[in-house]
Amino acid sequence: MASLNKKVSPSNVNLPNDLVLNILSRLPVKSLKRFSCVQKSWANLLEDPHFVDMYYENLTSKTRDSCLLLNQHVPNTVESNLFSLFGERYENRVKFDWPSPFHQDNETVIVVGSCVNGTICLQQVSMIDTTTSIKVLLWTPKTKEFKVVPPSLTAEPELRFQITITGFGYDHVTDDYKLIQNVLVHALNNDYAEVNPPLPGQFWQIYSVKSNCWRNLDLEMTCDVFPQSVGLAVYLNGVCHWLAIEDNNQEPYDTEVLLVSFDMSSEMFVTTPISRYNHHDFCDRYLVVLKESVAVISTFEDNNCFDVSILGEAGVKESWVKLFTVGLPTCVDHPIGAGKNGDIFFRKYDGELVWYDFSSKTIKEIGIKGEFCYSQTVIL
């Protein structure tokens, strides 16, 4: 019986070191950080070039067993199309028809954030005279079922609301799907602002599918949504993530880029600093999910390369791990998303959409052109 109570530790498990490293190289960064206390030699594995090479190979060696959604925005138009891409070289494509509420006009449609359990959030913003009209749907492309999300605010002639949906996700505690959005309030004339109580400036709201209504959140989130991250949030394991910049009125041209992580169940958030941001900094950042971890792709215009850094623990700046830097051809502009096996998609300066094949370390064309900023890929 004594042997059954014997504790298992690295010292009494005789596994070959190469096998142990191979197992560890298949884990998400968060798990690696957690296991770093088990054995001293595991503490700095991600600083070991040999281990990083193994991690890189495992990250990029997965077969393409799932498809991608490509949200294409046709250059020089307001037209947008949605394709399903699949196959070894993404050579197969199926075009989806937008759900019926978007058939009446041809305004740009944006996929907000990630696909969650087969469902995506669609947003269409159009101008009717001087009024901004926003339609939001939750849509399941495979079944063609959709749900219209009701407006969160009533239009007021003296006010302008600037609404940005920052996340779509699933609350596993209440078995509910939710949206979170930021609202900026502007008075259209000074007289209104003087007569009425102080305007809130900005606030946050959350929508519940179960209740089919919006409610205000009691959050003191003193950061602004990063302009490049509109519609490009990611969702992972009950948490929505998006990019923001610190609200720094004293140094508006030198601020901190933050990752905001919002838990859909607790409805709490935590911020993780990424880097300093300068308005003269020619660096684009894009959020993706790689190997069950949140990652930031940073592209640099001055040296035609991109970095991939993975988050180890939300709220801890030092937990960012830069996995690798990859050189790019001068024709490549900026990233538009990533596949499940780590392939990263880009737009070229001529509008052609391409993907970086990690296995061959080459750029390959998809055969579709896309508009600057808005074209995106989502894992289905």
Side-chain angles (χ1 to χ4, degrees):
M1 294 294 293
S3 61
L4 295 178
N5 297 323
K6 187 177 180 180
K7 292 184 178 180
V8 177
S9 67
S11 60
N12 53 43
V13 176
N14 296 317
L15 291 177
N17 188 58
D18 287 348
L19 178 59
V20 171
L21 292 179
N22 189 280
I23 294 171
L24 292 174
S25 69
R26 299 173 187 274
L27 297 176
V29 169
K30 186 175 183 179
S31 298
L32 272 180
K33 294 285 186 181
R34 185 180 302 160
F35 295 150
S36 64
C37 61
V38 175
Q39 190 164 313
K40 188 175 181 180
S41 62
W42 296 0
N44 299 309
L45 281 175
L46 286 169
E47 297 178 12
D48 180 347
H50 173 66
F51 181 81
V52 170
D53 286 343
M54 292 178 60
Y55 202 90
Y56 175 91
E57 291 298 323
N58 287 325
L59 176 69
T60 60
S61 63
K62 296 178 182 178
T63 57
R64 296 185 179 92
D65 55 357
S66 62
C67 65
L68 285 170
L69 289 180
L70 171 62
N71 187 16
Q72 176 221 22
H73 291 254
V74 182
N76 304 316
T77 72
V78 294
E79 180 184 354
S80 55
N81 300 306
L82 191 67
F83 297 94
S84 171
L85 300 181
F86 54 97
E88 184 63 25
R89 299 172 60 88
Y90 300 105
E91 69 276 10
N92 302 316
R93 74 182 61 138
V94 175
K95 183 179 178 181
F96 287 106
D97 292 327
W98 294 115
S100 55
F102 292 158
H103 289 174
Q104 298 176 357
D105 49 47
N106 200 28
E107 295 290 338
T108 297
V109 179
I110 297 174
V111 178
V112 178
S114 303
C115 178
V116 182
N117 301 331
T119 298
I120 57 177
C121 176
L122 301 178
Q123 182 180 21
Q124 186 183 62
V125 181
S126 57
M127 290 297 296
I128 303 175
D129 296 326
T130 58
T131 304
T132 301
S133 173
I134 299 176
K135 295 178 185 176
V136 180
L137 300 180
L138 300 181
W139 181 46
T140 306
K142 289 184 178 179
T143 63
K144 299 184 179 179
E145 296 177 314
F146 67 86
K147 178 178 181 57
V148 178
V149 177
S152 61
L153 297 164
T154 303
E156 297 188 31
E158 302 293 338
L159 296 177
R160 185 182 70 180
F161 299 112
Q162 181 180 330
I163 298 174
T164 304
I165 298 178
T166 56
F168 165 57
Y170 175 69
D171 178 354
H172 63 89
V173 174
T174 60
D175 186 27
D176 196 5
Y177 290 88
K178 296 178 178 179
L179 293 169
I180 181 172
Q181 70 180 17
N182 174 253
V183 182
L184 293 176
V185 185
H186 305 277
L188 297 180
N189 62 70
N190 294 330
D191 293 338
Y192 181 90
E194 291 176 0
V195 172
N196 290 273
L199 299 176
Q202 81 164 334
F203 58 95
W204 294 85
Q205 295 183 312
I206 196 163
Y207 168 78
S208 159
V209 169
K210 276 191 171 181
S211 65
N212 194 35
C213 66
W214 291 88
R215 57 185 169 84
N216 291 351
L217 285 171
D218 185 19
L219 292 179
E220 294 185 8
M221 197 182 303
T222 57
C223 55
D224 300 322
V225 178
F226 197 64
Q228 299 170 3
S229 68
V230 175
L232 304 179
V234 298
Y235 167 85
L236 180 65
N237 299 331
V239 181
C240 288
H241 307 266
W242 64 88
L243 295 178
I245 54 176
E246 65 179 351
D247 188 3
N248 188 339
N249 295 323
Q250 295 182 352
E251 297 183 25
Y253 297 106
D254 183 18
T255 57
E256 189 94 44
V257 180
L258 307 171
L259 175 73
V260 179
S261 303
F262 181 84
D263 190 302
M264 282 294 180
S265 298
S266 67
E267 297 184 357
M268 303 294 289
F269 74 95
V270 63
T271 60
T272 311
I274 300 175
S275 63
R276 303 301 299 179
Y277 169 72
N278 190 290
H279 287 239
H280 303 291
D281 176 18
F282 297 104
C283 174
D284 285 335
R285 298 168 182 86
Y286 195 102
L287 285 182
V288 297
V289 173
L290 292 176
K291 205 168 187 177
E292 293 301 307
S293 297
V294 176
V296 171
I297 303 172
S298 302
T299 60
F300 303 92
E301 184 178 321
D302 56 349
N303 56 7
N304 292 103
C305 69
F306 71 90
D307 291 341
V308 175
S309 298
I310 290 184
L311 178 67
E313 181 180 352
V316 182
K317 182 178 182 178
E318 294 73 21
S319 70
W320 286 106
V321 176
K322 187 168 78 171
L323 284 184
F324 44 78
T325 299
V326 178
L328 288 172
T330 56
C331 62
V332 173
D333 186 5
H334 71 284
I336 63 169
K340 195 170 185 177
N341 67 316
D343 295 330
I344 299 178
F345 292 76
F346 292 86
R347 178 189 181 274
K348 293 167 60 178
Y349 282 103
D350 63 2
E352 192 73 31
L353 301 183
V354 299
W355 57 283
Y356 182 83
D357 184 357
F358 275 105
S359 60
S360 64
K361 299 182 180 180
T362 57
I363 293 288
K364 297 182 179 180
E365 294 188 351
I366 301 174
I368 299 177
K369 286 185 177 289
E371 185 60 85
F372 180 75
C373 287
Y374 293 111
S375 293
Q376 59 188 125
T377 59
V378 178
I379 299 173
L380 183 60

